[in-house]
Amino acid sequence: MTARGVIGALVAASAGLPFFPLWAALAVGAGAGLLVPLVQYAVDHLLRLQDDTSALAVHGISALWGLLAVGL
């Protein structure tokens, strides 16, 4: 779970690395790292989708959060 959160944080922060200062990249990565377990639980238990590798939570939602953070 921790490794998935770290990978999600890297995915989210890498969307805006040319535009973010260091503190903003850390904040975006921390936000994505907190989102990954929540989305993983929602996909597995609430939506009952079979996502063994958690690709939707790690790459999909993290990338979406990173792109939204660039606009903010």
Side-chain angles (χ1 to χ4, degrees), residues 13-53:
S14 66
L17 283 179
F19 310 110
F20 290 154
L22 179 63
W23 64 269
L26 289 172
V28 170
L34 293 174
L35 273 177
V36 166
L38 298 174
V39 172
Q40 183 178 357
Y41 176 80
V43 168
D44 288 344
H45 291 76
L46 300 178
L47 298 175
R48 296 184 193 263
L49 297 174
Q50 185 167 352
D51 189 15
D52 294 332
T53 60

Side-chain angles (χ1 to χ4, degrees), residues 1 13 15-16 21 25 38 45 50 58-61 63 66:
M1 184 69 69
L38 298 174
H45 291 76
Q50 185 167 352
V58 172
H59 297 290
I61 300 300

